[in-house]
Amino acid sequence: MTSAGTVGRTPEDLLPGGPLPDSAGHFGRFGGRFVPEALFAALDGLTAAYAAARDDPAFAAELDGLLTAYAGRPTPLTDAARLSAHVGGARILLKREDLAHTGSHKINNVLGQCLLARRMGKSRVIAETGAGQHGVATATACALLGLDCVVYMGEQDTRRQALNVARMRLLGAEVVAVAAGSRTLKDAINEAMRDWVATVGTTHYCIGSVMGPHPFPMLVRDFQRVIGVEARAQVLDRTGRLPDAVVACVGGGSNAMGIFHPFIADPSVRLVGLEAGGDGVSTGRHAAAIAGGAPGVLHGMRTFLLQDADGQTQVSHSISAGLDYPGIGPEHAWLHETGRATYRVVDDREAMDALRTVARLEGILVAIESAHAFAGAFDLARELGPDAVVVVNCSGRGDKDVDTAARWFDLLDHS
Amino acid sequence: MLAREAARAALIGYLPAGFPSVDGGISAMLAMVEAGVEIVEIGLPYSDPTMDGPVIQAATGAALSRGVTTRDVLRTVEAVAATGVPTLVMSYWNPVERYGVTAFARDLAAAGGAGTITPDLPPEEAEPLLAATAEVGLDPVFLVAPSSSDARIARVAEVSRGFIYAASLMGVTGARSTLGAQAAGLVSRVRAISDTPVGVGVGVGTPAQAAEVAGFADGVIVGSALVSALVDADRAGDDPGAAAAAVRGTVAALATGVRSGRAGPRPLPSGSAW
């Protein structure tokens, strides 16, 4: 049974469950819960509330309704004919999360989590944000559902992304600039966790990616899974077969996990994640947790992370604020370790070149985050040859990045 | 380490290694012991201290930017343990795992350490630490919080040795004007389940609060109030001697508070404050 406006998805498809993670939140040796004891009750409560919601058709129906009538789903699958020619003939299909409300895939997760927060009787939602996309999405969902919203953002990022700070405030959220540590995303997460320890009775922490302590990696994956459920049906409908590869950028990894997950059981489909290479992995100034990191524990999870010889977290570097994070979601670490997905690196220059190419050949200004996926997809499409079908997750739009791009390409008049 | 049958509660003092310098930190800890601290917790500075408030963040952040390493922490343990007081390392989990759990336990024991306190390592993930500490005779200490269910308290009690660390309130480290009303209730819930002594920390900073906690717990844990004295001295550019004197004064007042707290262990009335 398909509800109005959906493509190949039913409310029942949205939140499927499955063997991973195990009941303690492990994906193989990754994941788990490495948090202060004070948070265990809240994590157990969230796990139980989610399990109950998943079994409640009314919850899935409400979420499905919002995804359709509010967020604008399903998002289209766009044939990128000029990009296909650019890469030698392989068919390039774009999953257009940039067309979702608020301009990225982030809305999928926050609608799910904020509905869950309301169901749990929490009146206040807190979130971390780097570039501001998750913060804007959270502020949006809180406005819609009548919840108080506080967004933690590294002080350095509030200056780099001043426009998104204003957007969140317009939506009624309080934005707290975090001056601790490196003043970036990882420190915003630390501060959000400190808030949550003291406020768990009234507050839900709406984590923005497939990271953190169990159940968040599972929860966010399940809410983002709609991307892949739709894409799989759309590509089958369009081409009559499964794609040869599905490609996405990976910071924490929520857009990638969302589009990968429904394809995991299709062994012929390559899953390829692109980490942010910054100035290049060899320079040490990058955000590639798998390519340049080692297993460890950060923000409640065991995963790959950038760390020094003493286990101190290293500061990541990327032109893309949304990928500028020293860790990666634990399920990605697992997919990497099992070989089911492969992870490659795209540096700042390659990403910016791809951003310009997509703009000029397709008339789509993509987010710098998503541009990493395009750069990786171009290489992969050339490797796979002209008969291949490659799906690229176009995770967000690039309006927020015009300033950065203008400086990078020297596009402004100097008078 | 702590005794349920002791005549009075023990005063447990926390300072991070490497602040204001490795040697300055050692001096402050030795001053703390001279002034009456009976168990020392040495903090291992970490880049992402999600359980710490601004005071401890300021000190550990400065220690890291001044280059403190895990080896420096072990050297600090050696200097403090040489006084004969039980000395534990309090560390977030990743630095221990990165050092190697077995190697860390071995080197900590060799330095004279008495145990570990790992605030972000739950019992569920603790098997490697339990094995490594048992091997070398260290006490692994785990935490309970006011939100802990009785089942979780039982789980923590099962794996904790030496003492159980009870967080007095829901929140990060740092002095508060009033002690959480949940602290006494939490201690009585732990005691209903376990014979292991209970130390109470987080938000305990004044002599009056120390006295109050000494009335119902086996150990009174003070951190931020001591670190604060060091941070103030560091900001004022005081020499290490003055910093140590500031710590000594704070400890002496707290020790007086602890001694006034109680003459012996007494059970709480059932159901009080919870």
Side-chain angles (χ1 to χ4, degrees):
Chain A
M1 189 180 70
T2 302
S3 61
T6 60
V7 175
R9 70 177 159 87
T10 67
E12 294 74 25
D13 282 338
L14 285 176
L15 310 170
L20 286 177
D22 68 17
S23 62
H26 296 115
F27 304 89
R29 64 177 168 137
F30 300 107
R33 275 182 182 170
F34 294 84
V35 293
E37 173 61 29
L39 289 179
F40 265 82
L43 294 172
D44 282 342
L46 180 59
T47 305
Y50 177 55
R54 195 155 59 179
D55 289 341
D56 180 358
F59 180 82
E62 186 170 17
L63 177 57
D64 190 65
L66 286 178
L67 289 174
T68 303
Y70 183 72
R73 305 205 70 89
T75 58
L77 189 72
T78 302
D79 243 296
R82 299 190 71 205
L83 284 180
S84 292
H86 176 70
V87 298
R91 191 166 182 182
I92 307 286
L93 296 166
L94 312 182
K95 182 57 176 164
R96 300 293 304 281
E97 294 302 295
D98 58 314
L99 296 178
H101 182 41
T102 73
S104 80
H105 71 291
K106 294 293 188 188
I107 193 74
N108 305 325
N109 169 45
V110 300
L111 287 173
Q113 285 202 51
C114 289
L115 280 180
L116 203 51
R118 199 180 63 181
R119 192 182 163 96
M120 290 186 291
K122 305 284 174 88
S123 59
R124 178 173 177 266
V125 170
I126 59 173
E128 82 292 342
T129 198
Q133 293 302 95
H134 175 57
V136 166
T138 307
T140 298
C142 287
L144 177 71
L145 298 174
L147 300 164
D148 293 335
C149 181
V150 177
V151 179
Y152 289 96
M153 192 169 183
E155 194 179 58
Q156 192 180 323
D157 292 330
T158 60
R159 279 192 241 110
R160 289 196 288 199
Q161 306 284 339
L163 211 57
N164 269 342
V165 174
R167 281 174 83 189
M168 289 183 268
R169 288 181 176 149
L170 269 174
L171 291 159
E174 179 190 346
V175 180
V176 179
V178 176
S182 62
R183 306 175 183 211
T184 60
L185 176 58
K186 83 173 179 70
D187 306 285
I189 294 169
N190 293 342
E191 206 58 34
M193 286 192 171
R194 291 182 188 116
D195 178 318
W196 203 33
V197 170
T199 60
V200 286
T202 59
T203 299
H204 174 66
Y205 179 14
C206 182
I207 286 186
S209 193
V210 284
M211 51 149 293
H214 179 65
F216 285 109
M218 171 182 76
L219 196 67
V220 178
R221 173 198 72 194
D222 288 358
F223 290 141
Q224 291 294 2
R225 217 174 157 275
V226 63
I227 306 170
V229 169
E230 288 177 2
R232 193 173 181 283
Q234 288 168 320
V235 74
L236 282 171
D237 181 58
R238 189 81 55 88
T239 70
R241 69 181 186 91
L242 288 168
D244 297 284
V246 175
V247 183
C249 65
V250 183
S254 69
N255 89 81
M257 192 53 63
I259 198 165
F260 285 178
H261 198 258
F263 290 100
I264 286 177
D266 300 316
S268 68
V269 180
R270 291 191 195 200
L271 306 175
V272 181
L274 282 309
E275 296 191 285
D279 293 343
V281 172
S282 62
T283 66
R285 290 175 51 81
H286 62 87
I290 284 179
V297 169
L298 176 68
H299 292 149
M301 59 181 165
R302 177 172 284 114
T303 189
F304 282 87
L305 56 103
L306 305 182
Q307 55 180 320
D308 70 12
D310 270 354
Q312 308 290 346
T313 309
Q314 289 177 316
V315 176
S316 56
H317 295 274
S318 170
I319 191 168
S320 154
L323 303 182
D324 202 351
Y325 178 66
I328 185 170
E331 194 165 6
H332 285 294
W334 166 247
L335 291 177
H336 163 71
E337 192 156 88
T338 58
R340 180 61 192 94
T342 52
Y343 295 84
R344 300 177 173 192
V345 177
V346 165
D347 67 22
D348 286 354
R349 176 163 302 281
E350 294 165 326
M352 294 307 288
D353 286 349
L355 181 143
R356 184 165 59 181
T357 299
V358 177
R360 292 190 173 178
L361 294 183
E362 297 292 342
I364 300 172
L365 184 53
V366 302
I368 299 176
E369 290 80 7
S370 316
H372 287 71
F374 281 91
F378 298 164
D379 287 343
L380 191 67
R382 291 187 185 103
E383 291 163 29
L384 294 175
D387 296 331
V389 173
V390 175
V391 174
V392 185
N393 198 11
C394 186
S395 58
R397 69 180 186 222
D399 307 53
K400 70 187 177 60
D401 295 319
V402 169
D403 197 43
T404 303
R407 275 182 278 115
W408 180 272
F409 293 116
D410 195 20
L411 302 179
L412 298 175
D413 293 328
H414 304 281
S415 51
Chain B
M1 189 180 307
L2 279 183
R4 288 285 299 273
E5 307 310 322
R8 60 173 179 78
L11 178 60
I12 303 171
Y14 165 97
L15 284 176
F19 184 79
S21 62
V22 177
D23 289 335
I26 291 171
S27 300
M29 290 177 207
L30 295 178
M32 194 162 85
V33 172
E34 278 170 31
V37 158
E38 294 148 294
I39 295 174
V40 176
E41 277 181 24
I42 297 178
L44 193 154
Y46 177 53
S47 52
D48 296 276
T50 49
M51 224 190 107
D52 286 309
V55 170
I56 290 177
Q57 282 181 52
T60 56
L64 285 172
S65 65
R66 293 169 195 181
V68 69
T69 65
T70 303
R71 294 222 165 265
D72 293 329
V73 176
L74 292 168
R75 178 159 81 80
T76 303
V77 170
E78 194 163 13
V80 176
T83 65
V85 297
T87 304
L88 299 92
V89 168
M90 183 164 204
S91 180
Y92 291 89
W93 185 240
N94 198 50
V96 176
E97 189 166 288
R98 185 70 168 168
Y99 192 94
V101 181
T102 306
F104 187 83
R106 180 195 65 215
D107 292 354
L108 177 57
T116 57
I117 304 172
T118 46
D120 62 345
L121 182 72
E124 289 85 344
E125 304 282 354
E127 192 44 50
L129 180 72
L130 297 178
T133 51
E135 180 73 29
V136 295
L138 293 173
D139 287 338
V141 174
F142 293 85
L143 282 74
V144 293
S147 61
S148 300
S149 65
D150 286 347
R152 286 206 60 83
I153 290 175
R155 189 91 192 258
V156 168
E158 196 181 308
V159 295
S160 291
R161 299 286 177 274
F163 66 96
I164 293 166
Y165 189 130
S168 82
L169 48 78
M170 297 293 288
V172 295
T173 60
R176 309 291 202 281
S177 54
T178 55
L179 189 70
Q182 298 164 308
L186 177 59
V187 170
S188 68
R189 289 202 299 139
V190 176
R191 285 189 172 159
I193 289 168
S194 169
D195 291 332
T196 306
V198 187
V200 170
V202 183
V204 183
T206 66
Q209 289 168 338
E212 191 182 339
V213 171
F216 59 78
D218 307 297
V220 180
I221 307 170
V222 180
S224 294
L226 300 171
V227 179
S228 203
L230 276 188
V231 169
D232 292 347
D234 188 57
R235 282 188 184 140
D238 292 350
D239 62 52
V247 169
R248 194 177 283 118
T250 308
V251 170
L254 288 164
T256 304
V258 168
R259 281 180 204 115
S260 73
R262 69 167 178 178
R266 56 174 182 271
L268 285 165
S270 62
S272 69
W274 186 256

